[in-house]
Amino acid sequence: MRAATKHISKAALSHNLNTLADLAPDSRCMAVIKANAYGSEATQVLDALERADLFGVAAIEEALAIRAAGTRKPIVLLEGAFEAGDVALAADKQFELVIATMQQLEWLLACEHDFSRVWFKLDTGMGRLGFQAHDAKAAMDKLLTRYTQQNVVIMTHFSDSDAPDRSITNGQIARFDDFAAHYPDCEHSLCNSAGVLSFPHAHRHYIRPGIALYGASPFAGHFAEDHDLKPVMTLTTRVLSVKAFKRGEPIGYAQTYRLPADGHIAICEIGYADGYSRFIPS
Ligand SMILES: *Cc1c(COP(=O)(O)O)cnc(C)c1O
């Protein structure tokens, strides 16, 4: 039997959700549970996320799995539809869509079904998905031929909200607000984990924490407990062998490590197949 085992603490997960939601008491909280809840087994931890108002996932397969696991909460596809068929399936299952490209907008408008809420994604500096300033207005005006502002959430994603230099995120917020000012009845959503922790004036209608929910600090040099977060995942394994070495003797590939003094080295049962990173010096 393989000894390497991950343990998931639901108590820690719900504690973290409470911590983050309490920081933004006037916002609704979308728990981001994409990538199998960052490896924390999305379908098995839903009951620990009872306080979340909505769930966010990347792909429709994840949304289907979470719905099948029994949640009634709204589920948002954060990357939107990958193909036209996703829109019909989302309509059928009552998933919500992010609209980040003209193609996605056309698929949405071609669908007979009316979605109760549509997420309009603006690229304010991340440089990945979302409408850029020069075509955002045309896209929004097209969306508003069918939907009212009250049904639309304008969202954006921060590239540097974990950086000590706050000017990049403040610039993104300013670009967001310039655009959103034209659509005063739309709701807003900007904050990932680091945004929730560092930019309270950007909490707005919906926060979208991911990594912090799982008990990791988004800030380099900070730990979960600095933000009253608790680690959700613990990895344990067995010690397979203990060997004695002399000071200066080499250990591992490329002799990366040398013992600073005479001592013992424990060899643990864990490898790449268990998810142990190839990039950890070994
Ligand atoms: C992944 C993701 C989040 C969560 O980001 P964290 O930095 O993990 O908190 C929020 N919003 C969107 C659109 C995402 O894709």
Side-chain angles (χ1 to χ4, degrees):
M1 277 287 281
R2 268 177 196 273
T5 317
K6 75 176 173 188
H7 307 266
I8 304 295
S9 166
K10 291 195 200 186
L13 186 58
S14 69
H15 167 88
N16 296 341
L17 177 59
N18 283 330
T19 298
L20 294 161
D22 286 347
L23 285 174
D26 300 325
S27 310
R28 275 160 282 167
C29 182
M30 180 194 301
V32 177
I33 55 172
K34 65 190 178 194
N36 198 22
Y38 292 48
S40 301
E41 305 300 336
T43 56
Q44 288 164 47
V45 297
L46 294 173
D47 51 339
L49 297 170
E50 209 28 66
R51 170 126 182 230
D53 299 289
L54 324 81
F55 291 126
V57 296
I60 203 161
E61 294 76 20
E62 299 175 290
L64 290 167
I66 290 158
R67 185 66 89 224
T71 184
R72 291 194 157 83
K73 293 186 199 290
I75 302 174
V76 181
L77 304 183
L78 290 170
E79 321 291 329
F82 295 147
E83 51 193 53
D86 288 351
V87 179
L89 186 53
D92 186 43
K93 300 288 180 184
Q94 297 187 320
F95 302 148
E96 299 182 18
L97 293 170
V98 168
I99 301 297
T101 68
M102 266 315 168
Q103 175 71 84
Q104 290 178 331
L105 177 57
E106 279 159 18
W107 287 334
L108 179 81
L109 295 176
C111 178
E112 286 169 15
H113 175 87
D114 285 319
F115 289 82
S116 59
R117 186 161 46 198
V118 175
W119 300 73
F120 182 89
K121 187 163 186 181
L122 203 59
D123 178 6
T124 54
M126 178 67 143
R128 303 207 302 215
L129 278 180
F131 294 99
Q132 292 168 284
H134 60 84
D135 56 5
K137 188 160 188 315
M140 179 63 105
D141 290 343
K142 195 166 173 179
L143 177 63
L144 293 177
T145 58
R146 165 92 171 266
Y147 290 90
T148 65
Q149 289 188 31
Q150 283 88 350
N151 297 117
V152 176
V153 185
I154 307 175
M155 66 180 284
T156 196
H157 198 47
F158 292 144
S159 63
D160 287 85
S161 49
D162 56 340
D165 176 3
R166 301 171 60 87
S167 66
I168 301 169
T169 304
N170 281 326
Q172 286 194 263
I173 297 169
R175 283 190 286 282
F176 182 96
D177 285 339
D178 280 350
F179 178 78
H182 298 290
Y183 307 99
D185 294 328
C186 290
E187 293 185 310
H188 297 180
S189 178
L190 299 92
C191 286
N192 60 349
S193 298
V196 174
L197 294 165
S198 293
F199 293 88
H201 65 293
H203 286 167
R204 311 290 171 91
H205 302 86
Y206 302 89
I207 56 169
R208 308 191 309 268
I211 188 79
L213 273 179
Y214 307 99
S217 168
F219 307 105
H222 287 256
F223 293 97
E225 53 270 29
D226 299 340
H227 316 292
D228 188 24
L229 300 169
K230 296 180 178 171
V232 169
M233 189 186 299
T234 315
L235 185 62
T236 60
T237 190
R238 263 184 315 228
V239 172
L240 197 54
S241 154
V242 177
K243 301 200 297 190
F245 289 87
K246 296 273 178 242
R247 187 170 92 87
E249 283 193 282
I251 311 288
Y253 288 124
Q255 307 198 336
T256 316
Y257 184 78
R258 285 178 189 271
L259 267 78
D262 292 359
H264 293 84
I265 289 289
I267 294 94
C268 299
E269 285 186 49
I270 190 161
Y272 302 147
D274 303 298
Y276 189 86
S277 174
R278 171 75 177 78
F279 299 103
I280 297 175
S282 58

